[in-house]
Amino acid sequence: MIREVISHELVVFLTAALPVLELKAALPMGIGLGMNPWHAFIVSYLGSLLPVPFLFWLIRPILIGIKNWAFIKPHIERLEARTIRRSIKIQKYGALGVLLFVAIPLPGTGVWTGTIGAVLLDVRFKWAFPAVVVGNLIAGLIVLFISQGALTLF
């Protein structure tokens, strides 16, 4: 029994830390695995925040380092251009834009994209990190309430 709970928690936590999936997939998965909805929320929320400090401090040095590789440079420049193009709201509103962007629980939005966008647009960590944390909390609550409402329909 204890082993199942720990393994479910670990799966949900690690799924939430993955790009694209994040909390939006991990939370319903945790509920589907039989976890208490609020417990699944907390585990997936914490898991989704795990990569944020690493992304914030490491993404720029990594991008600068791999831009020196000729065969990767065009791909990185395309990624940067796409991120900046999609981050016009973040650029216009700064930390509030980061918060709103992360709070929308749709594919392509979330802590990974919001953090990378904040880094590329030079939003300072002291503003970006709390914005990502609060935006992720809002997104998580939206997903939780949608998941609970969807479950009551069946």
Side-chain angles (χ1 to χ4, degrees), residues 8-109:
H8 289 330
E9 287 176 338
L10 186 59
V11 168
V12 169
F13 184 85
L14 293 176
T15 300
L18 294 173
V20 181
L21 297 178
E22 298 183 11
L23 174 139
K24 298 173 285 247
L27 177 53
M29 182 178 67
I31 294 170
L33 289 171
M35 293 174 68
N36 174 290
W38 286 104
H39 185 74
F41 170 78
I42 291 168
V43 172
S44 60
Y45 178 73
L46 294 175
S48 65
L49 291 178
L50 177 69
V52 173
F54 299 105
L55 285 170
F56 201 92
W57 297 111
L58 296 176
I59 198 69
R60 189 170 302 279
I62 289 170
L63 289 175
I64 290 169
I66 62 176
K67 267 187 177 179
N68 294 328
W69 301 345
F71 64 95
I72 292 182
K73 186 175 182 172
H75 301 292
I76 297 302
E77 289 174 346
R78 214 174 24 248
L79 173 68
E80 284 179 331
R82 189 179 78 204
T83 302
I84 290 170
R85 211 175 36 252
R86 290 184 174 183
S87 303
I88 292 170
K89 296 277 190 226
I90 293 174
Q91 195 170 21
K92 184 176 180 181
Y93 297 108
L96 179 60
V98 173
L99 186 148
L100 294 172
F101 182 82
V102 174
I104 301 168
L106 294 172
T109 65

